[in-house]
């Protein structure tokens, strides 16, 4: 029996929006993932600590609806330089205040070190499948 796939999920530090987080956790659980859900208002350091406790996690998934994802993830380069958050970091939701700024916010998050940016939760499981290391048969 294959080990269960595991992801770490949470909402960015300045963001208290819980509904999407819960829906995504349910969706991932139904898709066969074990979800370590850190909930809302989660500092980036808490994601790193969770990854240390669960080193087999395939990805760290961070939601943001208030548009302040960039500010909440400003410590990502330093954590990566320290060897933390070595798995893919995926950010989704509303990435900027105002619709017209989303492309700029996406570019800035990728430059910050985020591996993938999603705007549609339906893309999450296919993305995780594509990030999964290929197993030799």
């Amino acid at each position: 029996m294959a080990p269960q796939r595991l992801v770490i999920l949470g909402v960015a530090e300045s963001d208290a929006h819980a509904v999407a987080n819960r829906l995504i956790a349910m969706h991932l659980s139904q898709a066969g993932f074990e979800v370590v859900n850190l909930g809302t208002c989660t500092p980036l350091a808490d994601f790193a600590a969770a990854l240390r406790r669960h080193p087999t996690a395939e990805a760290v998934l961070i939601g943001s609806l208030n548009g302040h994802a960039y500010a909440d993830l400003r410590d990502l380069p330093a954590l990566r330089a320290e060897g933390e958050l070595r798995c893919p970091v995926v950010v989704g939701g509303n990435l900027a205040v105002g619709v017209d700024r989303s492309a700029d916010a996406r570019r800035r998050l990728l430059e910050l070190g985020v591996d993938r940016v999603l705007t549609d939760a339906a893309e999450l499981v296919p993305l995780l499948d594509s990030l999964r290391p290929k197993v030799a048969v």
Side-chain angles (χ1 to χ4, degrees):
M1 182 169 152
Q4 189 169 20
R5 300 174 69 186
L6 187 143
V7 292
I8 297 169
L9 173 69
V11 179
E13 184 172 4
S14 70
D15 200 319
H17 291 89
V19 174
N21 172 268
R22 303 287 263 168
L23 292 172
I24 290 170
M26 291 171 46
H27 175 69
L28 290 168
S29 293
Q30 290 171 349
F33 287 87
E34 179 181 351
V35 179
V36 175
N37 191 348
L38 304 177
T40 62
C41 301
T42 305
L44 201 51
D46 288 2
F47 285 100
L51 185 58
R52 284 192 301 273
R53 290 191 304 276
H54 304 281
T56 62
E58 294 182 25
V60 168
L61 312 172
I62 302 173
S64 177
L65 287 180
N66 67 5
H68 299 286
Y70 183 84
D72 291 333
L73 277 69
R74 65 189 171 281
D75 293 334
L76 183 58
L79 287 169
R80 295 256 179 160
E82 295 169 3
E84 303 280 349
L85 292 170
R86 285 186 248 162
C87 71
V89 173
V90 178
V91 176
N94 180 31
L95 304 175
V97 178
V99 176
D100 293 339
R101 301 186 63 194
S102 61
D104 183 51
R106 178 186 176 90
R107 178 189 53 76
R108 292 177 63 209
L109 286 167
L110 293 171
E111 289 174 357
L112 196 59
V114 169
D115 296 287
R116 299 285 197 281
V117 176
L118 294 181
T119 55
D120 185 347
E123 299 171 357
L124 187 51
V125 171
L127 172 65
L128 292 169
D129 288 344
S130 74
L131 295 174
R132 191 174 191 187
K134 303 296 180 219
V135 177
V137 179

Coordinates of all heavy atoms in Angstrom, one line a residue, residues 12-74:
A12 N -2.3 32.8 5.1 CA -1.2 33.7 5.4 C -1.4 34.5 6.7 O -2.5 34.6 7.2 CB -1.1 34.7 4.2
E13 N -0.3 35.0 7.2 CA -0.2 35.6 8.5 C -1.3 36.7 8.8 O -1.8 36.7 9.9 CB 1.2 36.1 8.7 CG 1.4 36.7 10.1 CD 2.8 37.0 10.4 OE1 3.6 36.9 9.4 OE2 3.1 37.4 11.5
S14 N -1.5 37.5 7.9 CA -2.4 38.7 8.1 C -3.8 38.4 7.8 O -4.7 39.3 7.8 CB -1.9 39.9 7.3 OG -2.1 39.7 5.9
D15 N -4.1 37.1 7.4 CA -5.4 36.8 6.8 C -6.2 35.9 7.7 O -5.7 34.8 8.0 CB -5.2 36.2 5.4 CG -6.4 36.3 4.5 OD1 -7.5 36.0 5.0 OD2 -6.2 36.5 3.3
A16 N -7.5 36.2 8.0 CA -8.3 35.4 8.9 C -9.4 34.7 8.1 O -10.4 34.2 8.7 CB -8.9 36.3 10.0
H17 N -9.4 34.7 6.8 CA -10.4 34.1 6.0 C -10.3 32.6 6.1 O -9.3 31.9 5.7 CB -10.3 34.5 4.5 CG -10.7 35.9 4.3 ND1 -9.7 36.9 4.4 CD2 -11.8 36.5 4.0 CE1 -10.3 38.1 4.1 NE2 -11.6 37.8 3.9
A18 N -11.3 31.9 6.7 CA -11.2 30.5 7.1 C -12.0 29.6 6.1 O -11.7 28.4 6.0 CB -11.7 30.3 8.5
V19 N -13.0 30.2 5.4 CA -14.0 29.3 4.7 C -13.2 28.6 3.5 O -13.3 27.4 3.4 CB -15.2 30.1 4.1 CG1 -16.0 29.3 3.2 CG2 -16.0 30.7 5.3
A20 N -12.5 29.3 2.7 CA -11.8 28.7 1.6 C -10.8 27.7 2.1 O -10.6 26.6 1.5 CB -11.1 29.8 0.7
N21 N -10.1 28.0 3.2 CA -9.2 27.1 3.8 C -9.8 25.8 4.1 O -9.3 24.7 3.8 CB -8.5 27.8 5.0 CG -7.7 26.8 5.8 OD1 -8.2 26.2 6.8 ND2 -6.4 26.7 5.5
R22 N -11.0 25.8 4.8 CA -11.7 24.6 5.2 C -12.1 23.8 3.9 O -12.1 22.6 3.9 CB -12.9 24.9 6.1 CG -12.4 25.7 7.3 CD -11.7 24.8 8.3 NE -12.7 24.4 9.3 CZ -12.5 23.4 10.1 NH1 -11.3 22.8 10.1 NH2 -13.4 23.1 11.0
L23 N -12.7 24.6 2.9 CA -13.1 23.9 1.7 C -12.0 23.2 1.0 O -12.1 22.1 0.5 CB -13.8 24.9 0.8 CG -15.2 25.4 1.3 CD1 -15.7 26.6 0.4 CD2 -16.2 24.3 1.4
I24 N -10.8 23.9 0.9 CA -9.7 23.3 0.3 C -9.2 22.1 1.0 O -8.8 21.0 0.5 CB -8.6 24.3 0.1 CG1 -9.0 25.3 -1.0 CG2 -7.2 23.7 -0.3 CD1 -8.1 26.6 -1.1
A25 N -9.2 22.2 2.4 CA -8.8 21.0 3.2 C -9.7 19.8 2.9 O -9.2 18.7 2.8 CB -8.8 21.4 4.7
M26 N -11.0 20.1 2.9 CA -11.9 19.0 2.6 C -11.7 18.4 1.2 O -11.7 17.2 1.0 CB -13.4 19.5 2.7 CG -13.8 19.8 4.1 SD -15.4 20.7 4.3 CE -16.4 19.7 3.2
H27 N -11.5 19.3 0.2 CA -11.3 18.8 -1.2 C -10.0 17.9 -1.2 O -10.0 16.9 -1.9 CB -11.1 20.0 -2.1 CG -10.8 19.7 -3.5 ND1 -11.6 19.1 -4.4 CD2 -9.6 20.0 -4.2 CE1 -11.0 18.9 -5.5 NE2 -9.8 19.5 -5.4
L28 N -9.0 18.4 -0.6 CA -7.7 17.6 -0.6 C -7.9 16.3 0.1 O -7.4 15.2 -0.3 CB -6.6 18.4 0.0 CG -6.1 19.6 -0.8 CD1 -5.2 20.5 0.0 CD2 -5.4 19.1 -2.1
S29 N -8.6 16.3 1.2 CA -8.8 15.0 2.0 C -9.6 14.0 1.1 O -9.3 12.9 1.1 CB -9.6 15.3 3.3 OG -8.8 16.0 4.2
Q30 N -10.6 14.6 0.4 CA -11.4 13.7 -0.5 C -10.6 13.2 -1.6 O -10.9 12.1 -2.2 CB -12.7 14.4 -1.0 CG -13.7 14.7 0.1 CD -14.8 15.6 -0.3 OE1 -14.7 16.2 -1.4 NE2 -15.8 15.7 0.5
A31 N -9.6 13.9 -2.0 CA -8.7 13.5 -3.1 C -7.6 12.5 -2.6 O -6.7 12.1 -3.4 CB -8.1 14.7 -3.8
G32 N -7.6 12.2 -1.3 CA -6.7 11.2 -0.8 C -5.5 11.8 -0.1 O -4.6 11.0 0.3
F33 N -5.5 13.1 0.2 CA -4.3 13.7 0.9 C -4.5 13.7 2.4 O -5.7 13.9 2.8 CB -4.1 15.1 0.4 CG -3.5 15.2 -1.0 CD1 -4.4 15.2 -2.1 CD2 -2.2 15.3 -1.2 CE1 -3.9 15.3 -3.4 CE2 -1.7 15.4 -2.5 CZ -2.5 15.4 -3.6
E34 N -3.5 13.5 3.1 CA -3.5 13.9 4.5 C -3.1 15.4 4.6 O -2.2 15.8 4.0 CB -2.5 13.1 5.3 CG -2.4 13.4 6.8 CD -1.4 12.6 7.6 OE1 -0.8 11.7 7.0 OE2 -1.1 13.0 8.7
V35 N -4.0 16.1 5.3 CA -3.8 17.6 5.3 C -3.5 18.0 6.7 O -4.2 17.8 7.7 CB -5.1 18.3 4.9 CG1 -4.9 19.8 4.9 CG2 -5.5 17.9 3.5
V36 N -2.3 18.6 6.9 CA -1.9 19.3 8.1 C -2.4 20.7 8.0 O -1.7 21.5 7.3 CB -0.4 19.2 8.4 CG1 0.0 19.9 9.7 CG2 0.0 17.7 8.5
N37 N -3.5 21.0 8.6 CA -4.1 22.4 8.4 C -3.7 23.3 9.5 O -4.2 23.1 10.7 CB -5.6 22.3 8.2 CG -6.2 23.6 7.7 OD1 -5.6 24.6 7.7 ND2 -7.5 23.5 7.3
L38 N -3.0 24.3 9.3 CA -2.5 25.2 10.3 C -3.5 26.3 10.5 O -3.3 27.1 11.4 CB -1.1 25.8 9.9 CG 0.0 24.8 9.7 CD1 1.2 25.5 9.2 CD2 0.2 23.9 10.9
G39 N -4.6 26.4 9.7 CA -5.6 27.4 9.9 C -5.2 28.8 9.4 O -4.3 29.0 8.6
T40 N -5.9 29.8 10.0 CA -5.7 31.1 9.6 C -4.6 31.8 10.3 O -4.1 31.3 11.4 CB -7.0 31.9 9.8 OG1 -7.3 31.9 11.2 CG2 -8.2 31.3 9.0
C41 N -4.2 33.0 9.8 CA -3.2 33.9 10.5 C -2.0 33.1 10.8 O -1.5 33.2 12.0 CB -3.8 34.6 11.7 SG -5.3 35.5 11.4
T42 N -1.4 32.4 9.9 CA -0.3 31.5 10.1 C 1.0 32.2 9.7 O 1.2 32.4 8.4 CB -0.4 30.2 9.4 OG1 -1.7 29.6 9.8 CG2 0.7 29.3 9.7
P43 N 1.9 32.5 10.6 CA 3.2 33.1 10.2 C 4.0 32.1 9.3 O 3.9 30.8 9.5 CB 3.9 33.3 11.5 CG 2.9 33.4 12.5 CD 1.8 32.4 12.0
L44 N 4.8 32.6 8.4 CA 5.6 31.7 7.5 C 6.5 30.8 8.4 O 6.7 29.6 8.0 CB 6.4 32.6 6.6 CG 7.0 31.9 5.3 CD1 5.8 31.2 4.5 CD2 7.7 33.0 4.5
A45 N 7.0 31.2 9.5 CA 7.8 30.4 10.4 C 7.1 29.2 10.9 O 7.6 28.1 11.1 CB 8.4 31.2 11.5
D46 N 5.8 29.3 11.0 CA 4.9 28.2 11.5 C 4.8 27.1 10.4 O 4.7 25.9 10.6 CB 3.6 28.6 11.9 CG 3.6 29.3 13.3 OD1 4.7 29.5 13.8 OD2 2.5 29.7 13.8
F47 N 4.8 27.6 9.1 CA 4.8 26.6 8.0 C 6.1 25.8 8.0 O 6.1 24.6 7.8 CB 4.6 27.3 6.7 CG 3.2 27.8 6.4 CD1 2.8 29.1 6.6 CD2 2.2 26.9 6.0 CE1 1.6 29.6 6.4 CE2 0.9 27.4 5.7 CZ 0.6 28.7 5.9
A48 N 7.2 26.5 8.2 CA 8.5 25.9 8.2 C 8.6 24.9 9.4 O 9.1 23.8 9.2 CB 9.6 26.9 8.4
A49 N 8.1 25.3 10.6 CA 8.1 24.3 11.7 C 7.2 23.1 11.4 O 7.6 22.0 11.8 CB 7.5 25.1 12.9
A50 N 6.1 23.3 10.8 CA 5.2 22.1 10.4 C 5.9 21.2 9.4 O 5.8 20.0 9.5 CB 3.9 22.6 9.8
L51 N 6.7 21.8 8.5 CA 7.4 21.0 7.5 C 8.5 20.2 8.2 O 8.8 19.1 7.9 CB 8.0 21.9 6.4 CG 8.7 21.1 5.3 CD1 7.8 20.1 4.6 CD2 9.2 22.1 4.3
R52 N 9.2 20.8 9.3 CA 10.2 20.0 10.0 C 9.5 18.8 10.7 O 10.1 17.8 10.8 CB 10.8 20.9 11.0 CG 11.9 21.9 10.4 CD 12.7 22.5 11.5 NE 12.0 23.3 12.5 CZ 11.6 24.6 12.3 NH1 12.0 25.2 11.2 NH2 11.0 25.2 13.2
R53 N 8.3 19.0 11.2 CA 7.6 17.9 11.9 C 7.0 16.9 10.9 O 6.8 15.7 11.2 CB 6.4 18.5 12.7 CG 6.8 19.3 13.9 CD 5.6 19.6 14.8 NE 4.5 20.2 14.2 CZ 4.4 21.6 14.0 NH1 5.4 22.4 14.5 NH2 3.4 22.1 13.4
H54 N 6.8 17.3 9.6 CA 6.3 16.5 8.6 C 7.1 16.5 7.3 O 6.7 17.1 6.3 CB 4.8 16.9 8.3 CG 3.9 16.9 9.4 ND1 3.4 15.7 10.0 CD2 3.5 17.9 10.2 CE1 2.6 16.0 11.0 NE2 2.7 17.3 11.2
P55 N 8.4 16.0 7.4 CA 9.3 16.2 6.3 C 8.9 15.5 5.0 O 9.5 15.7 4.0 CB 10.6 15.6 6.9 CG 10.2 14.7 7.9 CD 8.9 15.3 8.5
T56 N 7.9 14.6 5.1 CA 7.4 14.0 3.8 C 6.4 14.8 3.1 O 5.9 14.3 2.1 CB 6.9 12.6 4.1 OG1 5.8 12.7 5.0 CG2 8.0 11.7 4.8
A57 N 6.0 15.9 3.6 CA 5.0 16.8 2.9 C 5.4 17.1 1.5 O 6.6 17.4 1.3 CB 4.8 18.0 3.7
E58 N 4.5 17.0 0.6 CA 4.8 17.2 -0.8 C 4.8 18.7 -1.1 O 5.5 19.1 -2.1 CB 3.7 16.6 -1.7 CG 3.7 15.1 -1.6 CD 2.6 14.5 -2.6 OE1 2.2 15.2 -3.6 OE2 2.2 13.4 -2.3
A59 N 4.1 19.5 -0.3 CA 4.0 20.9 -0.6 C 3.5 21.7 0.6 O 2.8 21.1 1.4 CB 3.2 21.2 -1.8
V60 N 3.8 23.0 0.6 CA 3.2 23.9 1.6 C 2.3 24.8 0.8 O 2.7 25.4 -0.2 CB 4.3 24.8 2.3 CG1 3.7 25.9 3.0 CG2 5.2 23.9 3.2
L61 N 1.0 24.8 1.2 CA 0.0 25.5 0.4 C -0.5 26.7 1.3 O -1.0 26.4 2.4 CB -1.2 24.5 0.2 CG -0.8 23.2 -0.4 CD1 -2.0 22.3 -0.5 CD2 -0.2 23.3 -1.8
I62 N -0.4 27.9 0.8 CA -0.7 29.0 1.5 C -1.8 29.8 0.8 O -1.6 30.2 -0.4 CB 0.5 29.9 1.7 CG1 1.6 29.1 2.4 CG2 0.2 31.2 2.5 CD1 3.0 29.8 2.5
G63 N -2.9 30.1 1.5 CA -4.0 30.8 0.9 C -4.0 32.3 1.4 O -3.5 32.6 2.5
S64 N -4.5 33.2 0.6 CA -4.5 34.6 1.0 C -5.7 35.2 0.2 O -5.8 35.1 -1.0 CB -3.2 35.3 0.6 OG -3.4 36.7 0.9
L65 N -6.6 35.8 1.0 CA -7.8 36.4 0.3 C -7.7 38.0 0.6 O -8.4 38.7 -0.1 CB -9.1 35.9 0.9 CG -9.4 34.5 0.4 CD1 -10.7 34.0 1.0 CD2 -9.5 34.4 -1.1
N66 N -7.0 38.4 1.5 CA -7.0 39.9 1.8 C -6.1 40.7 0.8 O -6.0 41.9 0.9 CB -6.7 40.1 3.2 CG -5.2 39.8 3.6 OD1 -4.4 39.4 2.8 ND2 -4.9 39.9 4.9
G67 N -5.3 40.0 0.0 CA -4.5 40.7 -1.0 C -3.1 41.1 -0.4 O -2.4 41.8 -1.1
H68 N -2.7 40.6 0.7 CA -1.4 41.0 1.3 C -0.4 39.8 1.3 O 0.4 39.8 2.2 CB -1.7 41.5 2.7 CG -2.5 42.7 2.7 ND1 -2.1 44.0 2.3 CD2 -3.8 42.9 3.1 CE1 -3.0 44.9 2.4 NE2 -4.1 44.2 2.9
A69 N -0.6 38.9 0.4 CA 0.3 37.7 0.4 C 1.8 38.1 0.3 O 2.6 37.5 1.0 CB -0.1 36.8 -0.8
Y70 N 2.1 39.1 -0.5 CA 3.5 39.4 -0.7 C 4.1 39.8 0.7 O 5.2 39.4 1.1 CB 3.7 40.5 -1.7 CG 5.2 40.8 -1.9 CD1 5.9 40.1 -2.8 CD2 5.8 41.9 -1.3 CE1 7.3 40.3 -3.0 CE2 7.1 42.2 -1.4 CZ 7.9 41.4 -2.3 OH 9.2 41.7 -2.5
A71 N 3.4 40.7 1.4 CA 3.9 41.1 2.7 C 4.0 40.0 3.7 O 5.0 39.9 4.5 CB 3.1 42.2 3.2
D72 N 3.1 39.1 3.6 CA 3.0 38.0 4.6 C 4.2 37.0 4.3 O 4.6 36.2 5.2 CB 1.7 37.2 4.5 CG 0.6 38.1 5.1 OD1 0.9 38.9 6.0 OD2 -0.6 37.9 4.7
L73 N 4.6 36.9 3.0 CA 5.7 35.9 2.7 C 7.0 36.6 2.5 O 7.9 36.0 2.0 CB 5.3 35.2 1.4 CG 4.3 34.0 1.6 CD1 2.9 34.5 2.0 CD2 4.3 33.2 0.4
R74 N 7.2 37.8 3.0 CA 8.5 38.5 2.8 C 9.7 37.8 3.3 O 10.8 38.0 2.9 CB 8.4 39.9 3.3 CG 8.2 39.9 4.9 CD 7.9 41.3 5.4 NE 7.5 41.3 6.8 CZ 6.3 40.9 7.3 NH1 5.4 40.6 6.5 NH2 6.1 40.9 8.6

